[in-house]
Amino acid sequence: MTDPNFATMSGQQNGSPSDQELDDTFEQDLRDMLRDGPSLSDTASNIQGGNVTESPFAAPPPQMGQAKSSPNTGNYAGTGGGFAGPGDNGDSTSALAKAKFDSFKTWSISTYKCTRQMLSEKLGKGSRTVDLQLEAQIEVLRDTQRKYANILKLSRALTHHFYQVVQTQRSLGDAFGELGQKSPELQEEFNYNCETQRSLCSNGETLLGALNFFTSNVNTLCNKTMEDTLMTVKLYESAR
């Protein structure tokens, strides 16, 4: 039989430590590690204050003049595109606001000048702003309208009188026809005069239709086309 004390002494002499000694050594090393490392309260305060201790395995910071890159989004800085920074949005907003302010300023100055000129003209304290070339053309148009109005007046009078002439010729032709039937001895002369008056009446109706067409066109030109043009000129003067 083997003696237990002899086995224990043999194990100690051979250099193999026991389980109890291993546990004691591990606990001692753990206490030394915790004592030498930072406390938990210091670590929490560093994280909340932004002072995080860099890990020895972290990537080195970028050098001066190098753009910070990301494998997914590409370069954020540099001249080769990418995303615009906050400064670019501020510059575009400022430029847009400046353009709107300049447009409003120009409109305000123009409106003020036009209003002042209009009040000055209505009160009789200033001369009326005119376009000499346009005023000359307007005067020519008005003179032309007056001439066409006179032609229209004369053509209407001619149409009215010629209508009376045609009606008279028709009545005269009918009278000659009746006389030709009642006077057999002068029937040939009366019938000839009747046919002549009826022929004149027929040609007179054709001429009367042409006069009506001419009068209608002159009326449209004088009272529609030219009048609308002069009305546009008046609106232009009011707007000016």
Side-chain angles (χ1 to χ4, degrees):
M1 294 181 61
T2 305
D3 191 359
N5 295 328
F6 178 76
T8 302
M9 294 176 60
S10 299
Q12 292 176 355
Q13 290 177 359
N14 292 332
S16 58
S18 63
D19 294 337
Q20 185 65 30
E21 291 178 352
L22 290 175
D23 293 339
D24 294 340
T25 303
F26 176 75
E27 290 179 0
Q28 184 65 34
D29 293 339
L30 182 60
R31 292 191 190 96
D32 295 339
M33 185 181 300
L34 293 176
R35 184 176 61 254
D36 295 337
S39 62
L40 295 177
S41 60
D42 295 338
T43 304
S45 62
N46 290 334
I47 293 175
Q48 293 177 359
N51 299 325
V52 182
T53 305
E54 294 183 357
S55 173
F57 300 101
Q63 300 296 327
M64 294 298 293
Q66 294 181 355
K68 190 173 182 179
S69 61
S70 173
N72 295 327
T73 58
N75 295 330
Y76 289 94
T79 58
F83 295 97
D88 296 337
N89 295 331
D91 294 340
S92 61
T93 304
S94 176
L96 181 60
K98 185 177 183 301
K100 289 184 177 180
F101 176 77
D102 292 340
S103 177
F104 177 75
K105 179 180 178 182
T106 304
W107 175 82
S108 300
I109 294 174
S110 177
T111 304
Y112 170 73
K113 289 181 179 180
C114 293
T115 305
R116 184 180 62 180
Q117 179 66 25
M118 181 182 64
L119 293 176
S120 177
E121 290 179 4
K122 288 186 176 181
L123 295 176
K125 295 182 179 180
S127 59
R128 191 168 65 95
T129 304
V130 295
D131 187 351
L132 298 179
Q133 183 179 2
L134 181 60
E135 287 293 327
Q137 294 177 354
I138 294 173
E139 188 60 32
V140 170
L141 179 61
R142 286 173 177 168
D143 184 63
T144 304
Q145 185 187 25
R146 286 191 293 267
K147 293 179 179 179
Y148 274 104
N150 187 34
I151 292 175
L152 177 62
K153 179 182 177 181
L154 295 175
S155 64
R156 283 177 174 174
L158 177 62
T159 303
H160 176 71
H161 294 310
F162 193 75
Y163 175 79
Q164 298 298 328
V165 171
V166 171
Q167 294 301 322
T168 302
Q169 288 176 344
R170 180 180 289 111
S171 299
L172 188 59
D174 294 338
F176 281 129
E178 291 178 0
L179 289 174
Q181 293 177 359
K182 294 180 179 181
S183 302
E185 64 278 3
L186 297 175
Q187 184 177 8
E188 184 177 354
E189 287 79 3
F190 284 142
N191 288 335
Y192 178 78
N193 290 328
C194 177
E195 293 297 331
T196 302
Q197 295 300 323
R198 287 179 179 178
S199 177
L200 290 174
C201 180
S202 177
N203 293 330
E205 288 178 351
T206 303
L207 181 58
L208 187 63
L211 285 174
N212 288 328
F213 178 76
F214 174 77
T215 304
S216 176
N217 288 336
V218 173
N219 180 48
T220 302
L221 177 63
C222 184
N223 295 327
K224 298 294 183 180
T225 306
M226 291 185 177
E227 191 65 29
D228 291 343
T229 304
L230 293 176
M231 182 61 66
T232 304
V233 171
K234 291 179 181 179
L235 293 175
Y236 171 75
E237 289 180 350
S238 300
R240 179 187 55 78

